[in-house]
Structures are given as structure tokens and as C-alpha cells.
Amino acid sequence: MLKDKFGRIINYIRISVTDRCNLRCIYCMPEEGIKFKDMGEILTYEDIVLFLERASSLGIKKVRLTGGEPLVRRDIEKLIEMIKNIEGIREICLTTNGTLLKKKAYSLYNAGINRITVSLDSLDERKYRYITRLGNVKDVLEGLKKIKDMGFKHTKINTVVMKGINDDETIKLLEFALSMDMEIRFIEYMPTKYDRGRNYFISNEEIKKKIKEKYQLEISSYHSNGPAEYFKIKNNFVGFISPLSKNFCKYCNRIRLSSDGFIIPCLGHDIRINVRDALRKQNIEEIDSIIKHAVSMKPKQHAMLRESISESMSYMGG
Ligand code: SAM
Ligand code: SF4
């Protein structure tokens, strides 16, 4: 079992399988994109599988593939199949912007993805384009319909709420999620290096207040091993992830692995621990000791209230 020095059990890893993306969301990347890592620096599927074999032997049970946009990495299904064969990994989930979902839904299902989270910040075509700079919301909506029709269960929608941009759309997005029988989670915008100075932040308390004007929100003990606070609404749940207004660090159960092989013990601190060299040497003892060290380096709390995050979420697997 992996336990940090504050007694938290770490059994979940988020892996950024690529730092590339087909969108340029205003809260994640600058318009011109960021300098991507050379392909030689990016972990191969074999590297990732070796990492996960060791991590699962130490106590990691759940994996989320994220990015960048995980569906732009070539043959991502192959990686999923490889992870499926690792003893001890009970669940493989995916976080995607949904633009390629329609095309990839069957192959992801066949490869064995258990659950999918889709990011969707607006239902309005123009606004969606403004936020993502490159995307077409119709692609995402078609993707969501497809995975619903195929019978994927427990699909979640993630919405980053930004003041003056999409905070007027929260009820519409909530009603859309309810109509799709999907859970929606509203995420507070976290300031990063790439948009320092912009003031998108709006507290989830304000979003809750707005929703309560129309719906009854019943506090729920339901949680899916994560930072979200859940409320029952109709026959579903709405979640609020509030890293800034409501610190959830005491429930943290995760570490992250960047696409170039650095373990990130906390999203809100600059600690990066190189595991790539040990993976490339296939040095099992060294890999195990690096994973344990990374867990021991988890800080008690993030520092997002003091400082902007120093990297794009696309690098860290936000
Ligand atoms: N490309 C995929 C996507 O957009 O779902 C996966 C990677 S993306 C970095 C993962 C999640 O991080 C998305 O839900 C995105 O909205 C969120 N995210 C990115 N930058 C953020 C920020 N500055 N504040 C809050 N959430 C952010
Ligand atoms: Fe790409 Fe996801 Fe970042 Fe948007 S949030 S730019 S889709 S990685």
C-alpha cells in the first residue's frame, strides 16, 4: 500500500499520455500552443506499462489516461489493451475533450475503457469555439450521444466555469447533462502560467446558489474517490470541484505522471520526479524506490491560492 506522510492512501494515477492537443482552450494553452516535447522524450507505451506494473504492485489500482488530448496519441487503444492485462489495475478511465469520440468510441469500448469523462464548457457553438479556439461543439455532442447509445455507464461531463464567459450557462449545461442521464461536475478555474493576469475565477458557491434558485440540491455522501462534493439532483448527481474555495487536499488519493516521464505528486506544487531514466534502464528497484519517494513528497496542501500553476494542465494531466 502506498501511503504518504499525512496518512493518505495513494491508489490512483493520472497519466498524461501526450502533451499534444487538437484544441487550444483559453484556460489551458496560449493561442500559438506551447512548445511540445520531442517525441524521444515522450514515454513509449512499453515505458508506461512498465511504470504501471510497478505502481500497481505497490498499490495503484485505478488509472486515468488524460493529456493533452489522449485521443490524438496514435493507437491509444493499444495502450489501453496493454494496461488491461496488468494485474492489480481494476479500472481504466479516460478524460477527453470529446472531439474525436464519435470516431473512437467503438475501438475504446473494445479495448476495455471502463468510464469516460468528457470536457464540455459550452453548448453554444460560437462560445465553444471562443473557449477552445479550434473546436466544434457538434463533434462533442455527437460523441456524447454515441457513447450513451453504446451503453457506456457513469459518463461524466466536466465544465470549467469562467466568470463572464460561460457562468451564465451553468443551468443549461446541468439540464443537458440530466437529459443525457450523465453526471456533471463544475470545476473552478485554476490560474496557470499561461493565463496569468486574467480573471476567470468564480467560486463554485456562486454556481451552487444559482442552481438552488431552480432546483433542490440534496447533499450526498456519494463520492467517487475524488475531490468533488456531490449533490443529488433529480435521479442524478451534480458535483463541484472547488480547489480554490474549498480545499479538498485531505482526501487526495492520487499522483500524476507527465508524458515525458516525471511523477508529479501534487498539481499545485512544482515538484517533478524523473522516473523516465529508470524506466528506460528497466531498473525495477530504482523505479519502485522513485514511486515511493514521489508519494513521500506529496505536500499537505496545494499552493494555488498563493501562486499560479507553473505548467499547462495539458503537460501535467490536469
Ligand atoms: N484534453 C482533455 C480534456 O480537455 O478533457 C484532457 C486533458 S485536460 C488538461 C483535463 C481537464 O483539465 C479538463 O477537464 C480541462 O477542462 C481541465 N483544465 C485545464 N486547464 C484548467 C484550468 N486552468 N483550470 C481548471 N481546469 C482546467
Ligand atoms: Fe486541450 Fe484539454 Fe487543454 Fe483544452 S483543456 S487545450 S482540450 S488539453
Side-chain angles (χ1 to χ4, degrees):
M1 194 196 279
L2 285 167
K3 213 185 223 187
D4 74 3
K5 55 180 189 272
F6 304 100
R8 295 172 295 198
I9 292 167
I10 308 305
N11 52 21
Y12 173 30
I13 184 144
R14 297 175 67 102
I15 302 182
S16 175
V17 293
T18 175
D19 56 349
R20 271 89 171 146
C21 187
N22 55 346
L23 302 183
R24 295 283 180 273
C25 301
I26 53 175
Y27 48 72
C28 183
M29 287 192 199
E31 190 157 14
E32 64 280 11
I34 46 181
K35 191 179 174 318
F36 297 129
K37 305 277 170 198
D38 291 338
M39 277 319 277
E41 294 177 87
I42 302 287
L43 295 184
T44 64
Y45 288 167
E46 286 71 21
D47 293 333
I48 295 175
V49 167
L50 176 57
F51 176 86
L52 280 177
E53 281 169 357
R54 298 318 309 155
S56 77
S57 79
L58 296 172
I60 295 290
K61 295 184 167 58
K62 175 176 164 183
V63 180
R64 178 171 300 274
L65 303 181
T66 172
E69 174 47 41
L71 300 189
V72 303
R73 177 128 185 208
R74 193 182 298 161
D75 296 331
I76 188 72
E77 300 82 352
K78 199 170 127 199
L79 175 65
I80 297 162
E81 279 168 21
M82 288 160 86
I83 297 174
K84 269 291 193 211
N85 288 325
I86 301 174
E87 215 186 298
I89 299 293
R90 300 204 186 132
E91 206 177 16
I92 313 177
C93 306
L94 176 83
T95 295
T96 169
N97 62 33
T99 52
L100 301 171
L101 206 45
K102 189 175 164 202
K103 199 167 115 200
K104 290 266 185 181
Y106 273 114
S107 56
L108 289 170
Y109 187 86
N110 290 337
I113 274 289
N114 296 103
R115 289 192 286 128
I116 301 182
T117 296
V118 179
S119 301
L120 178 64
D121 301 328
S122 178
L123 294 165
D124 178 86
E125 242 176 89
R126 282 174 53 191
K127 201 180 284 181
Y128 183 85
R129 170 60 66 107
Y130 174 77
I131 294 170
T132 62
R133 294 198 182 101
L134 298 173
N136 184 341
V137 72
K138 278 191 191 146
D139 295 333
V140 187
L141 300 179
E142 285 174 13
L144 279 167
K145 184 168 181 322
K146 176 100 178 220
I147 58 174
K148 178 177 162 60
D149 293 346
M150 281 177 60
F152 269 102
K153 297 271 179 280
H154 307 296
T155 301
K156 290 184 183 139
I157 295 175
N158 272 356
T159 300
V160 177
V161 187
M162 287 163 287
K163 195 158 120 190
I165 300 207
N166 65 346
D167 56 332
D168 58 342
E169 237 192 293
T170 47
I171 299 276
K172 256 198 215 154
L173 283 156
L174 169 68
E175 288 172 349
F176 169 73
L178 291 172
S179 75
M180 295 289 280
D181 201 20
M182 291 173 181
E183 186 184 303
I184 187 164
R185 298 176 321 162
F186 294 109
I187 304 175
E188 281 178 356
Y189 155 74
M190 294 171 251
T192 69
K193 163 181 164 184
Y194 289 106
D195 45 26
R196 218 171 256 174
R198 288 189 217 207
N199 197 7
Y200 293 140
F201 179 75
I202 175 165
S203 162
N204 258 338
E205 288 309 306
E206 287 193 43
I207 310 306
K208 256 182 244 171
K209 224 189 273 167
K210 225 184 258 183
I211 295 174
K212 278 182 185 165
E213 285 169 13
K214 188 158 179 195
Y215 292 100
Q216 220 177 330
L217 287 184
E218 224 180 279
I219 184 93
S220 159
S221 58
Y222 163 83
H223 64 93
S224 53
N225 279 336
E229 170 194 30
Y230 280 100
F231 291 82
K232 195 157 182 12
I233 181 162
K234 297 200 160 179
N235 290 324
N236 216 316
F237 295 97
V238 54
F240 296 89
I241 302 181
S242 316
L244 276 85
S245 71
K246 230 179 196 176
N247 189 285
F248 47 60
C249 299
K250 69 175 175 209
Y251 303 112
C252 190
N253 62 348
R254 63 203 61 195
I255 49 175
R256 292 176 163 81
L257 180 66
S258 70
S259 51
D260 60 345
F262 285 75
I263 303 177
I264 301 172
C266 172
L267 200 57
H269 281 271
D270 276 348
I271 312 163
R272 313 276 181 263
I273 297 155
N274 182 349
V275 68
R276 184 179 64 202
D277 297 342
L279 288 169
R280 300 228 157 136
K281 283 187 276 174
Q282 304 196 349
N283 185 331
I284 304 295
E285 260 175 40
E286 200 183 335
I287 300 167
D288 287 6
S289 119
I290 292 172
I291 296 173
K292 286 183 203 158
H293 172 63
V295 167
S296 80
M297 291 291 287
K298 268 182 80 64
K300 191 171 179 193
Q301 285 198 350
H302 68 66
M304 290 178 210
L305 286 173
R306 287 197 308 274
E307 295 157 21
S308 297
I309 297 171
S310 66
E311 303 263 8
S312 165
M313 296 279 184
S314 62
Y315 170 72
M316 299 193 290

